[in-house]
Amino acid sequence: MNKQAIRVEPLSTYAEARKVPVSMAVRCGDLVFVSNIPPYDPATKRQAEIVLEQMKLCLTTAGSSLDKVIKCTVYCTDAVHVQAINSVYARYFPSSPPARSFICVSAWHGPFDVEIDCVATI
């Protein structure tokens, strides 16, 4: 199978400007892999919503959608955010949510608390 890196603007340009060697999304066969994406506007305090909107953009650009997501992994700096993230997450996946892992991690290099990645079908 051939893999295809998908440019997702403005996210790809943002990562390149910061010298981050990452593809926002990669399509391989009938699957789309979306990189864990930080919220590019963390000051709004709507981090989970921003991340999920960016994930939605990546999926759409790659020819998929949120309703085709089969697995997500949520990375968060503190378990205190679980309920807030769950309430936003439930709006994006209102029925038959994908499989999900929630992993607490150390702080990142940026001023944000959450990243989410996913795998979806085409």
Side-chain angles (χ1 to χ4, degrees):
M1 283 189 208
N2 293 334
K3 71 175 187 172
Q4 175 189 8
I6 308 294
R7 285 196 64 80
V8 181
E9 294 303 342
L11 305 176
S12 294
T13 297
Y14 184 89
E16 288 168 356
R18 282 149 186 79
K19 308 253 188 272
V20 179
V22 66
S23 295
M24 291 298 140
V26 173
R27 187 172 171 172
C28 187
D30 291 337
L31 295 176
V32 175
F33 300 84
V34 176
S35 295
N36 44 317
I37 302 169
Y40 285 114
D41 185 17
T44 66
K45 303 292 185 196
R46 296 172 31 244
Q47 294 183 39
E49 186 173 63
I50 291 168
V51 168
L52 287 162
E53 282 297 321
Q54 292 170 163
M55 189 170 78
K56 182 178 171 182
L57 174 63
C58 289
L59 290 165
T60 302
T61 303
S64 188
S65 61
L66 286 174
D67 63 326
K68 295 181 179 182
V69 173
I70 54 177
K71 173 73 166 78
C72 284
T73 304
V74 178
Y75 305 90
C76 188
T77 58
D78 193 326
V80 72
H81 302 299
V82 170
Q83 290 309 317
I85 291 169
N86 281 345
S87 67
V88 173
Y89 190 90
R91 290 196 327 258
Y92 284 82
F93 299 105
S95 62
S96 300
R100 185 181 89 172
S101 299
F102 193 103
I103 301 169
C104 288
V105 298
S106 314
W108 285 287
H109 60 279
F112 51 88
D113 297 306
V114 65
E115 288 187 350
I116 303 173
D117 68 16
C118 74
V119 177
T121 59
I122 299 294

PDB file of all heavy atoms in Angstrom, residues 65-98:
ATOM      1  N   SER A  65     -14.171  11.765   7.541  1.00  0.00           N
ATOM      2  CA  SER A  65     -15.009  12.620   8.387  1.00  0.00           C
ATOM      3  C   SER A  65     -15.018  12.088   9.815  1.00  0.00           C
ATOM      4  O   SER A  65     -14.571  10.973  10.075  1.00  0.00           O
ATOM      5  CB  SER A  65     -16.436  12.671   7.844  1.00  0.00           C
ATOM      6  OG  SER A  65     -17.004  11.376   7.851  1.00  0.00           O
ATOM      7  N   LEU A  66     -15.562  12.883  10.711  1.00  0.00           N
ATOM      8  CA  LEU A  66     -15.633  12.471  12.115  1.00  0.00           C
ATOM      9  C   LEU A  66     -16.444  11.195  12.305  1.00  0.00           C
ATOM     10  O   LEU A  66     -16.124  10.379  13.161  1.00  0.00           O
ATOM     11  CB  LEU A  66     -16.228  13.591  12.976  1.00  0.00           C
ATOM     12  CG  LEU A  66     -15.339  14.781  13.258  1.00  0.00           C
ATOM     13  CD1 LEU A  66     -16.113  15.873  13.998  1.00  0.00           C
ATOM     14  CD2 LEU A  66     -14.113  14.380  14.066  1.00  0.00           C
ATOM     15  N   ASP A  67     -17.496  11.012  11.508  1.00  0.00           N
ATOM     16  CA  ASP A  67     -18.316   9.814  11.690  1.00  0.00           C
ATOM     17  C   ASP A  67     -17.619   8.531  11.220  1.00  0.00           C
ATOM     18  O   ASP A  67     -18.123   7.435  11.436  1.00  0.00           O
ATOM     19  CB  ASP A  67     -19.679   9.972  11.019  1.00  0.00           C
ATOM     20  CG  ASP A  67     -19.603  10.135   9.513  1.00  0.00           C
ATOM     21  OD1 ASP A  67     -18.638  10.750   9.026  1.00  0.00           O
ATOM     22  OD2 ASP A  67     -20.533   9.661   8.832  1.00  0.00           O
ATOM     23  N   LYS A  68     -16.437   8.673  10.617  1.00  0.00           N
ATOM     24  CA  LYS A  68     -15.667   7.504  10.188  1.00  0.00           C
ATOM     25  C   LYS A  68     -14.458   7.230  11.089  1.00  0.00           C
ATOM     26  O   LYS A  68     -13.650   6.358  10.791  1.00  0.00           O
ATOM     27  CB  LYS A  68     -15.223   7.685   8.744  1.00  0.00           C
ATOM     28  CG  LYS A  68     -16.413   7.712   7.786  1.00  0.00           C
ATOM     29  CD  LYS A  68     -15.974   7.877   6.368  1.00  0.00           C
ATOM     30  CE  LYS A  68     -17.204   7.862   5.468  1.00  0.00           C
ATOM     31  NZ  LYS A  68     -16.813   7.984   4.062  1.00  0.00           N
ATOM     32  N   VAL A  69     -14.368   7.972  12.195  1.00  0.00           N
ATOM     33  CA  VAL A  69     -13.265   7.762  13.144  1.00  0.00           C
ATOM     34  C   VAL A  69     -13.508   6.456  13.896  1.00  0.00           C
ATOM     35  O   VAL A  69     -14.593   6.217  14.420  1.00  0.00           O
ATOM     36  CB  VAL A  69     -13.136   8.944  14.130  1.00  0.00           C
ATOM     37  CG1 VAL A  69     -12.117   8.646  15.217  1.00  0.00           C
ATOM     38  CG2 VAL A  69     -12.757  10.214  13.374  1.00  0.00           C
ATOM     39  N   ILE A  70     -12.463   5.613  13.940  1.00  0.00           N
ATOM     40  CA  ILE A  70     -12.595   4.336  14.641  1.00  0.00           C
ATOM     41  C   ILE A  70     -11.820   4.308  15.959  1.00  0.00           C
ATOM     42  O   ILE A  70     -12.127   3.522  16.835  1.00  0.00           O
ATOM     43  CB  ILE A  70     -12.177   3.157  13.745  1.00  0.00           C
ATOM     44  CG1 ILE A  70     -10.780   3.346  13.168  1.00  0.00           C
ATOM     45  CG2 ILE A  70     -13.183   2.955  12.632  1.00  0.00           C
ATOM     46  CD1 ILE A  70     -10.265   2.191  12.321  1.00  0.00           C
ATOM     47  N   LYS A  71     -10.824   5.212  16.113  1.00  0.00           N
ATOM     48  CA  LYS A  71     -10.021   5.236  17.349  1.00  0.00           C
ATOM     49  C   LYS A  71      -9.446   6.625  17.559  1.00  0.00           C
ATOM     50  O   LYS A  71      -8.942   7.237  16.633  1.00  0.00           O
ATOM     51  CB  LYS A  71      -8.870   4.221  17.232  1.00  0.00           C
ATOM     52  CG  LYS A  71      -7.843   4.235  18.367  1.00  0.00           C
ATOM     53  CD  LYS A  71      -8.400   3.645  19.642  1.00  0.00           C
ATOM     54  CE  LYS A  71      -7.362   3.331  20.691  1.00  0.00           C
ATOM     55  NZ  LYS A  71      -6.869   4.438  21.446  1.00  0.00           N
ATOM     56  N   CYS A  72      -9.547   7.122  18.775  1.00  0.00           N
ATOM     57  CA  CYS A  72      -8.922   8.382  19.180  1.00  0.00           C
ATOM     58  C   CYS A  72      -8.041   8.129  20.395  1.00  0.00           C
ATOM     59  O   CYS A  72      -8.332   7.242  21.202  1.00  0.00           O
ATOM     60  CB  CYS A  72      -9.971   9.421  19.603  1.00  0.00           C
ATOM     61  SG  CYS A  72     -10.850  10.197  18.266  1.00  0.00           S
ATOM     62  N   THR A  73      -7.016   8.924  20.501  1.00  0.00           N
ATOM     63  CA  THR A  73      -6.217   8.951  21.716  1.00  0.00           C
ATOM     64  C   THR A  73      -6.148  10.399  22.177  1.00  0.00           C
ATOM     65  O   THR A  73      -5.777  11.285  21.397  1.00  0.00           O
ATOM     66  CB  THR A  73      -4.795   8.401  21.492  1.00  0.00           C
ATOM     67  OG1 THR A  73      -4.895   7.076  20.963  1.00  0.00           O
ATOM     68  CG2 THR A  73      -4.015   8.367  22.793  1.00  0.00           C
ATOM     69  N   VAL A  74      -6.558  10.616  23.406  1.00  0.00           N
ATOM     70  CA  VAL A  74      -6.522  11.947  24.016  1.00  0.00           C
ATOM     71  C   VAL A  74      -5.308  11.991  24.930  1.00  0.00           C
ATOM     72  O   VAL A  74      -5.128  11.100  25.767  1.00  0.00           O
ATOM     73  CB  VAL A  74      -7.802  12.223  24.838  1.00  0.00           C
ATOM     74  CG1 VAL A  74      -7.733  13.589  25.505  1.00  0.00           C
ATOM     75  CG2 VAL A  74      -9.043  12.110  23.963  1.00  0.00           C
ATOM     76  N   TYR A  75      -4.484  13.012  24.754  1.00  0.00           N
ATOM     77  CA  TYR A  75      -3.313  13.235  25.602  1.00  0.00           C
ATOM     78  C   TYR A  75      -3.584  14.510  26.382  1.00  0.00           C
ATOM     79  O   TYR A  75      -3.895  15.544  25.795  1.00  0.00           O
ATOM     80  CB  TYR A  75      -2.046  13.408  24.754  1.00  0.00           C
ATOM     81  CG  TYR A  75      -1.809  12.256  23.810  1.00  0.00           C
ATOM     82  CD1 TYR A  75      -2.344  12.266  22.530  1.00  0.00           C
ATOM     83  CD2 TYR A  75      -1.052  11.162  24.203  1.00  0.00           C
ATOM     84  CE1 TYR A  75      -2.125  11.215  21.654  1.00  0.00           C
ATOM     85  CE2 TYR A  75      -0.832  10.103  23.336  1.00  0.00           C
ATOM     86  CZ  TYR A  75      -1.380  10.137  22.066  1.00  0.00           C
ATOM     87  OH  TYR A  75      -1.162   9.087  21.203  1.00  0.00           O
ATOM     88  N   CYS A  76      -3.464  14.436  27.706  1.00  0.00           N
ATOM     89  CA  CYS A  76      -3.807  15.585  28.534  1.00  0.00           C
ATOM     90  C   CYS A  76      -2.794  15.722  29.674  1.00  0.00           C
ATOM     91  O   CYS A  76      -2.302  14.720  30.194  1.00  0.00           O
ATOM     92  CB  CYS A  76      -5.208  15.397  29.099  1.00  0.00           C
ATOM     93  SG  CYS A  76      -5.847  16.823  29.960  1.00  0.00           S
ATOM     94  N   THR A  77      -2.506  16.958  30.044  1.00  0.00           N
ATOM     95  CA  THR A  77      -1.500  17.209  31.078  1.00  0.00           C
ATOM     96  C   THR A  77      -2.014  16.987  32.492  1.00  0.00           C
ATOM     97  O   THR A  77      -1.220  16.907  33.419  1.00  0.00           O
ATOM     98  CB  THR A  77      -0.958  18.648  30.979  1.00  0.00           C
ATOM     99  OG1 THR A  77      -2.048  19.555  31.113  1.00  0.00           O
ATOM    100  CG2 THR A  77      -0.228  18.872  29.667  1.00  0.00           C
ATOM    101  N   ASP A  78      -3.336  16.884  32.669  1.00  0.00           N
ATOM    102  CA  ASP A  78      -3.869  16.739  34.025  1.00  0.00           C
ATOM    103  C   ASP A  78      -5.250  16.096  33.959  1.00  0.00           C
ATOM    104  O   ASP A  78      -6.125  16.562  33.218  1.00  0.00           O
ATOM    105  CB  ASP A  78      -3.960  18.112  34.693  1.00  0.00           C
ATOM    106  CG  ASP A  78      -4.203  18.031  36.193  1.00  0.00           C
ATOM    107  OD1 ASP A  78      -4.904  17.105  36.650  1.00  0.00           O
ATOM    108  OD2 ASP A  78      -3.696  18.909  36.903  1.00  0.00           O
ATOM    109  N   ALA A  79      -5.471  15.059  34.751  1.00  0.00           N
ATOM    110  CA  ALA A  79      -6.759  14.374  34.782  1.00  0.00           C
ATOM    111  C   ALA A  79      -7.900  15.272  35.248  1.00  0.00           C
ATOM    112  O   ALA A  79      -9.065  14.942  35.029  1.00  0.00           O
ATOM    113  CB  ALA A  79      -6.673  13.131  35.667  1.00  0.00           C
ATOM    114  N   VAL A  80      -7.589  16.397  35.818  1.00  0.00           N
ATOM    115  CA  VAL A  80      -8.630  17.340  36.242  1.00  0.00           C
ATOM    116  C   VAL A  80      -9.462  17.834  35.049  1.00  0.00           C
ATOM    117  O   VAL A  80     -10.593  18.261  35.211  1.00  0.00           O
ATOM    118  CB  VAL A  80      -8.019  18.530  37.037  1.00  0.00           C
ATOM    119  CG1 VAL A  80      -7.255  19.472  36.120  1.00  0.00           C
ATOM    120  CG2 VAL A  80      -9.077  19.274  37.813  1.00  0.00           C
ATOM    121  N   HIS A  81      -8.914  17.713  33.832  1.00  0.00           N
ATOM    122  CA  HIS A  81      -9.600  18.188  32.631  1.00  0.00           C
ATOM    123  C   HIS A  81     -10.517  17.141  31.996  1.00  0.00           C
ATOM    124  O   HIS A  81     -11.194  17.435  31.001  1.00  0.00           O
ATOM    125  CB  HIS A  81      -8.578  18.641  31.587  1.00  0.00           C
ATOM    126  CG  HIS A  81      -7.660  19.725  32.052  1.00  0.00           C
ATOM    127  ND1 HIS A  81      -8.102  20.970  32.443  1.00  0.00           N
ATOM    128  CD2 HIS A  81      -6.317  19.738  32.194  1.00  0.00           C
ATOM    129  CE1 HIS A  81      -7.066  21.702  32.796  1.00  0.00           C
ATOM    130  NE2 HIS A  81      -5.974  20.972  32.666  1.00  0.00           N
ATOM    131  N   VAL A  82     -10.567  15.940  32.542  1.00  0.00           N
ATOM    132  CA  VAL A  82     -11.316  14.843  31.922  1.00  0.00           C
ATOM    133  C   VAL A  82     -12.768  15.210  31.661  1.00  0.00           C
ATOM    134  O   VAL A  82     -13.275  15.020  30.554  1.00  0.00           O
ATOM    135  CB  VAL A  82     -11.231  13.552  32.771  1.00  0.00           C
ATOM    136  CG1 VAL A  82     -12.190  12.498  32.249  1.00  0.00           C
ATOM    137  CG2 VAL A  82      -9.821  13.018  32.786  1.00  0.00           C
ATOM    138  N   GLN A  83     -13.470  15.719  32.638  1.00  0.00           N
ATOM    139  CA  GLN A  83     -14.897  16.018  32.443  1.00  0.00           C
ATOM    140  C   GLN A  83     -15.126  17.108  31.412  1.00  0.00           C
ATOM    141  O   GLN A  83     -16.049  17.011  30.587  1.00  0.00           O
ATOM    142  CB  GLN A  83     -15.556  16.381  33.787  1.00  0.00           C
ATOM    143  CG  GLN A  83     -15.698  15.211  34.738  1.00  0.00           C
ATOM    144  CD  GLN A  83     -16.366  14.010  34.097  1.00  0.00           C
ATOM    145  OE1 GLN A  83     -17.344  14.109  33.370  1.00  0.00           O
ATOM    146  NE2 GLN A  83     -15.800  12.825  34.345  1.00  0.00           N
ATOM    147  N   ALA A  84     -14.307  18.141  31.420  1.00  0.00           N
ATOM    148  CA  ALA A  84     -14.446  19.214  30.427  1.00  0.00           C
ATOM    149  C   ALA A  84     -14.197  18.661  29.025  1.00  0.00           C
ATOM    150  O   ALA A  84     -14.947  18.971  28.089  1.00  0.00           O
ATOM    151  CB  ALA A  84     -13.486  20.353  30.742  1.00  0.00           C
ATOM    152  N   ILE A  85     -13.172  17.850  28.883  1.00  0.00           N
ATOM    153  CA  ILE A  85     -12.873  17.249  27.582  1.00  0.00           C
ATOM    154  C   ILE A  85     -14.000  16.308  27.162  1.00  0.00           C
ATOM    155  O   ILE A  85     -14.444  16.332  26.016  1.00  0.00           O
ATOM    156  CB  ILE A  85     -11.512  16.525  27.613  1.00  0.00           C
ATOM    157  CG1 ILE A  85     -10.383  17.556  27.734  1.00  0.00           C
ATOM    158  CG2 ILE A  85     -11.326  15.652  26.382  1.00  0.00           C
ATOM    159  CD1 ILE A  85      -9.027  16.972  28.037  1.00  0.00           C
ATOM    160  N   ASN A  86     -14.495  15.494  28.092  1.00  0.00           N
ATOM    161  CA  ASN A  86     -15.595  14.576  27.782  1.00  0.00           C
ATOM    162  C   ASN A  86     -16.836  15.310  27.289  1.00  0.00           C
ATOM    163  O   ASN A  86     -17.508  14.851  26.368  1.00  0.00           O
ATOM    164  CB  ASN A  86     -15.956  13.718  28.992  1.00  0.00           C
ATOM    165  CG  ASN A  86     -14.996  12.572  29.177  1.00  0.00           C
ATOM    166  OD1 ASN A  86     -14.222  12.231  28.297  1.00  0.00           O
ATOM    167  ND2 ASN A  86     -15.040  11.968  30.359  1.00  0.00           N
ATOM    168  N   SER A  87     -17.159  16.443  27.883  1.00  0.00           N
ATOM    169  CA  SER A  87     -18.365  17.163  27.471  1.00  0.00           C
ATOM    170  C   SER A  87     -18.225  17.715  26.052  1.00  0.00           C
ATOM    171  O   SER A  87     -19.180  17.690  25.277  1.00  0.00           O
ATOM    172  CB  SER A  87     -18.714  18.276  28.462  1.00  0.00           C
ATOM    173  OG  SER A  87     -17.744  19.294  28.433  1.00  0.00           O
ATOM    174  N   VAL A  88     -17.037  18.183  25.693  1.00  0.00           N
ATOM    175  CA  VAL A  88     -16.798  18.659  24.324  1.00  0.00           C
ATOM    176  C   VAL A  88     -16.751  17.468  23.368  1.00  0.00           C
ATOM    177  O   VAL A  88     -17.380  17.483  22.305  1.00  0.00           O
ATOM    178  CB  VAL A  88     -15.496  19.480  24.247  1.00  0.00           C
ATOM    179  CG1 VAL A  88     -15.155  19.824  22.816  1.00  0.00           C
ATOM    180  CG2 VAL A  88     -15.605  20.737  25.090  1.00  0.00           C
ATOM    181  N   TYR A  89     -16.026  16.439  23.735  1.00  0.00           N
ATOM    182  CA  TYR A  89     -15.869  15.234  22.918  1.00  0.00           C
ATOM    183  C   TYR A  89     -17.237  14.641  22.573  1.00  0.00           C
ATOM    184  O   TYR A  89     -17.480  14.235  21.430  1.00  0.00           O
ATOM    185  CB  TYR A  89     -15.016  14.239  23.701  1.00  0.00           C
ATOM    186  CG  TYR A  89     -14.546  13.033  22.947  1.00  0.00           C
ATOM    187  CD1 TYR A  89     -13.330  13.041  22.264  1.00  0.00           C
ATOM    188  CD2 TYR A  89     -15.285  11.854  22.944  1.00  0.00           C
ATOM    189  CE1 TYR A  89     -12.875  11.915  21.590  1.00  0.00           C
ATOM    190  CE2 TYR A  89     -14.842  10.722  22.282  1.00  0.00           C
ATOM    191  CZ  TYR A  89     -13.637  10.763  21.606  1.00  0.00           C
ATOM    192  OH  TYR A  89     -13.192   9.641  20.946  1.00  0.00           O
ATOM    193  N   ALA A  90     -18.144  14.617  23.523  1.00  0.00           N
ATOM    194  CA  ALA A  90     -19.481  14.053  23.310  1.00  0.00           C
ATOM    195  C   ALA A  90     -20.272  14.838  22.263  1.00  0.00           C
ATOM    196  O   ALA A  90     -21.111  14.264  21.560  1.00  0.00           O
ATOM    197  CB  ALA A  90     -20.250  14.012  24.628  1.00  0.00           C
ATOM    198  N   ARG A  91     -20.015  16.128  22.131  1.00  0.00           N
ATOM    199  CA  ARG A  91     -20.689  16.929  21.099  1.00  0.00           C
ATOM    200  C   ARG A  91     -20.201  16.551  19.697  1.00  0.00           C
ATOM    201  O   ARG A  91     -20.949  16.611  18.734  1.00  0.00           O
ATOM    202  CB  ARG A  91     -20.465  18.421  21.327  1.00  0.00           C
ATOM    203  CG  ARG A  91     -21.197  18.971  22.540  1.00  0.00           C
ATOM    204  CD  ARG A  91     -21.298  20.484  22.569  1.00  0.00           C
ATOM    205  NE  ARG A  91     -20.189  21.214  22.003  1.00  0.00           N
ATOM    206  CZ  ARG A  91     -19.219  21.816  22.713  1.00  0.00           C
ATOM    207  NH1 ARG A  91     -19.220  21.744  24.026  1.00  0.00           N
ATOM    208  NH2 ARG A  91     -18.262  22.487  22.102  1.00  0.00           N
ATOM    209  N   TYR A  92     -18.940  16.166  19.579  1.00  0.00           N
ATOM    210  CA  TYR A  92     -18.381  15.798  18.285  1.00  0.00           C
ATOM    211  C   TYR A  92     -18.660  14.337  17.922  1.00  0.00           C
ATOM    212  O   TYR A  92     -18.638  13.982  16.745  1.00  0.00           O
ATOM    213  CB  TYR A  92     -16.876  16.083  18.257  1.00  0.00           C
ATOM    214  CG  TYR A  92     -16.593  17.550  18.114  1.00  0.00           C
ATOM    215  CD1 TYR A  92     -16.621  18.389  19.221  1.00  0.00           C
ATOM    216  CD2 TYR A  92     -16.326  18.119  16.876  1.00  0.00           C
ATOM    217  CE1 TYR A  92     -16.386  19.752  19.093  1.00  0.00           C
ATOM    218  CE2 TYR A  92     -16.088  19.480  16.740  1.00  0.00           C
ATOM    219  CZ  TYR A  92     -16.129  20.294  17.856  1.00  0.00           C
ATOM    220  OH  TYR A  92     -15.913  21.640  17.734  1.00  0.00           O
ATOM    221  N   PHE A  93     -18.882  13.515  18.926  1.00  0.00           N
ATOM    222  CA  PHE A  93     -19.196  12.104  18.720  1.00  0.00           C
ATOM    223  C   PHE A  93     -20.458  11.772  19.517  1.00  0.00           C
ATOM    224  O   PHE A  93     -20.403  11.071  20.525  1.00  0.00           O
ATOM    225  CB  PHE A  93     -18.021  11.223  19.168  1.00  0.00           C
ATOM    226  CG  PHE A  93     -16.747  11.479  18.412  1.00  0.00           C
ATOM    227  CD1 PHE A  93     -15.709  12.177  19.008  1.00  0.00           C
ATOM    228  CD2 PHE A  93     -16.593  11.026  17.115  1.00  0.00           C
ATOM    229  CE1 PHE A  93     -14.525  12.419  18.314  1.00  0.00           C
ATOM    230  CE2 PHE A  93     -15.420  11.265  16.406  1.00  0.00           C
ATOM    231  CZ  PHE A  93     -14.387  11.966  17.013  1.00  0.00           C
ATOM    232  N   PRO A  94     -21.634  12.282  19.073  1.00  0.00           N
ATOM    233  CA  PRO A  94     -22.860  12.153  19.871  1.00  0.00           C
ATOM    234  C   PRO A  94     -23.430  10.742  19.958  1.00  0.00           C
ATOM    235  O   PRO A  94     -24.130  10.415  20.901  1.00  0.00           O
ATOM    236  CB  PRO A  94     -23.835  13.098  19.171  1.00  0.00           C
ATOM    237  CG  PRO A  94     -23.328  13.205  17.770  1.00  0.00           C
ATOM    238  CD  PRO A  94     -21.841  13.059  17.858  1.00  0.00           C
ATOM    239  N   SER A  95     -23.153   9.897  18.962  1.00  0.00           N
ATOM    240  CA  SER A  95     -23.640   8.517  19.028  1.00  0.00           C
ATOM    241  C   SER A  95     -22.568   7.597  18.465  1.00  0.00           C
ATOM    242  O   SER A  95     -21.788   7.990  17.595  1.00  0.00           O
ATOM    243  CB  SER A  95     -24.945   8.367  18.237  1.00  0.00           C
ATOM    244  OG  SER A  95     -24.714   8.658  16.874  1.00  0.00           O
ATOM    245  N   SER A  96     -22.528   6.397  18.962  1.00  0.00           N
ATOM    246  CA  SER A  96     -21.526   5.410  18.555  1.00  0.00           C
ATOM    247  C   SER A  96     -20.124   6.013  18.513  1.00  0.00           C
ATOM    248  O   SER A  96     -19.452   6.004  17.478  1.00  0.00           O
ATOM    249  CB  SER A  96     -21.875   4.828  17.182  1.00  0.00           C
ATOM    250  OG  SER A  96     -23.117   4.196  17.226  1.00  0.00           O
ATOM    251  N   PRO A  97     -19.648   6.536  19.655  1.00  0.00           N
ATOM    252  CA  PRO A  97     -18.314   7.141  19.661  1.00  0.00           C
ATOM    253  C   PRO A  97     -17.236   6.102  19.348  1.00  0.00           C
ATOM    254  O   PRO A  97     -17.422   4.909  19.590  1.00  0.00           O
ATOM    255  CB  PRO A  97     -18.160   7.686  21.083  1.00  0.00           C
ATOM    256  CG  PRO A  97     -19.129   6.915  21.900  1.00  0.00           C
ATOM    257  CD  PRO A  97     -20.251   6.531  20.986  1.00  0.00           C
ATOM    258  N   PRO A  98     -16.114   6.571  18.803  1.00  0.00           N
ATOM    259  CA  PRO A  98     -15.026   5.644  18.497  1.00  0.00           C
ATOM    260  C   PRO A  98     -14.370   5.110  19.764  1.00  0.00           C
ATOM    261  O   PRO A  98     -14.550   5.664  20.854  1.00  0.00           O
ATOM    262  CB  PRO A  98     -14.046   6.512  17.704  1.00  0.00           C
ATOM    263  CG  PRO A  98     -14.321   7.906  18.137  1.00  0.00           C
ATOM    264  CD  PRO A  98     -15.775   7.965  18.463  1.00  0.00           C
TER     265      PRO A  98
END
